[in-house]
Amino acid sequence: MFRKMRSLPFLRVTLILAAAFLLGRTAAQVTSFVTASHSDQIHSSAEGNWGLGFQEEGQPPVGNATVDELAQYNAFYLGDTDQKRIYLTFDAGYENGNTEPILDALKKHKAPAAFFVVGNFISENPDLIRRMVEEGHTVANHTSTHPDMSRISTLEAFREELEGVENCYKEITGKEMTKFYRPPQGKYNVENLKMAKGLGYHTFFWSLAYVDWYQDDQPTKEEAFDKLLGRIHPGAVVLLHSTSSTNGEIMDELLGKWEDMGYSFGSLEELAADTKQEK
């Protein structure tokens, strides 16, 4: 009896230690899960919009997601910041006569570009689409109806927005569309990025843009140069709108000025390939 009583404190201590071990292990597992879950998140702005912060002239801006955070979803906003390389992109929602002078300037400077088009742009401007392809540009996906993609929660609805543009493009060109996508207005969430990647798409944001989309309030040539020359930086993914009359007027001169600053022009295919090799 006495021997049994002496063993009770030892048994109690053993049970306490075992419980502590199990609790510690569980806590570690929980901590590990929380850490893993947190690392899968991208912090966008409160509105779910892509956003940039410029800190120093001539230097890349800080996005509301880092290059590495985006890379896990095959998404990009910036190229190699050690090279004076510019990646030109144009959002094209409709045509108002400014795309041709832009294409003329690109051809003169042998500058490849990506045109992110909505569905109606393709069906209403087949000759422009064919010209883009013939002159070595990429025609990319800006969705069928230009919705707020961050509000689309199902893969079916997401796929429908992209496939509508793909089908239109194939009807006009007879070719499969390059799977590059830009969410309208830069509105996105992590689930969107996952869905795009799952459908084989690369998502492209930008590291330089300016307010060029208001038809009745176009920037002056001086205002455009101030923003586009002052904020250009190595690896820049530049977003312009093909509807801008200012862009149509200045494109030849703008490309020349960038070249005078030591910049050359690359394609988004090169940017995506270079990033893949770095991994």
Side-chain angles (χ1 to χ4, degrees):
M1 181 69 176
F2 178 75
R3 290 177 63 185
K4 287 182 180 179
M5 288 180 67
R6 286 183 62 187
S7 68
L8 284 176
F10 175 79
L11 179 60
R12 187 178 297 112
V13 170
T14 301
L15 289 173
I16 290 171
L17 290 173
F21 171 79
L22 289 173
L23 285 171
R25 184 177 179 182
T26 302
Q29 289 173 334
V30 169
T31 301
S32 175
F33 174 76
V34 170
T35 302
S37 299
H38 181 71
S39 68
D40 194 40
Q41 300 303 310
I42 288 178
H43 299 290
S44 62
S45 64
E47 297 78 22
N49 294 348
W50 177 246
L52 297 168
F54 284 88
Q55 299 177 327
E56 186 179 344
E57 187 170 298
Q59 295 300 312
V62 176
N64 54 16
T66 69
V67 168
D68 289 340
E69 285 174 331
L70 291 174
Q72 63 186 309
Y73 305 106
N74 289 341
F76 311 88
Y77 86 97
L78 189 63
D80 185 347
T81 57
D82 291 327
Q83 294 189 38
K84 296 189 79 172
R85 198 85 162 148
I86 296 172
Y87 303 91
L88 297 169
T89 71
F90 295 86
D91 284 3
Y94 59 94
E95 175 53 25
N96 60 357
N98 293 301
T99 304
E100 284 208 21
I102 288 172
L103 286 169
D104 291 343
L106 294 172
K107 185 176 182 179
K108 176 180 175 180
H109 292 266
K110 298 180 181 179
F115 288 84
F116 287 87
V117 300
V118 296
N120 66 285
F121 186 94
I122 298 178
S123 58
E124 294 172 4
N125 303 281
D127 290 340
L128 282 176
I129 294 295
R130 294 190 191 98
R131 180 181 173 184
M132 291 172 187
V133 174
E134 289 168 3
E135 295 182 358
H137 303 299
T138 301
V139 178
N141 206 318
H142 202 37
T143 74
S144 292
T145 63
H146 206 265
D148 176 350
M149 294 296 278
S150 68
R151 295 181 178 274
I152 292 182
S153 58
T154 68
L155 180 59
E156 182 181 3
F158 191 90
R159 180 190 287 114
E160 186 177 329
E161 278 292 334
L162 299 184
E163 285 186 348
V165 182
E166 293 173 12
N167 295 336
C168 251
Y169 178 81
K170 191 169 185 178
E171 286 177 15
I172 296 299
T173 66
K175 300 178 180 181
E176 296 293 334
M177 190 174 210
T178 301
K179 290 200 169 185
F180 290 172
Y181 153 73
R182 172 171 285 156
Q185 302 177 63
K187 293 186 176 181
Y188 76 102
N189 56 39
V190 173
E191 288 305 311
N192 290 165
L193 298 179
K194 289 179 180 178
M195 286 189 279
K197 182 181 179 181
L199 294 172
Y201 272 86
H202 290 72
T203 300
F204 288 91
F205 295 102
W206 58 89
S207 65
L208 175 59
Y210 79 121
V211 181
D212 62 350
W213 57 86
Y214 293 117
Q215 289 303 291
D216 298 327
D217 188 19
Q218 279 288 288
T220 65
K221 175 180 175 178
E222 292 71 26
E223 289 170 338
F225 282 148
D226 180 59
K227 290 289 192 296
L228 298 174
L229 298 179
R231 289 185 172 180
I232 197 63
H233 51 271
V237 177
V238 181
L239 163 60
L240 302 170
H241 286 81
S242 62
T243 53
S244 167
S245 58
T246 298
N247 290 342
E249 292 168 7
I250 70 169
M251 194 54 53
D252 180 21
E253 189 176 356
L254 174 65
L255 298 180
K257 286 180 179 293
W258 276 334
E259 287 170 327
D260 290 342
M261 295 170 70
Y263 285 93
S264 60
F265 306 105
S267 68
L268 292 188
E269 284 86 352
E270 293 172 9
L271 188 158
D274 290 345
T275 305
K276 188 174 182 180
Q277 288 174 4
E278 288 174 8
K279 292 180 184 178

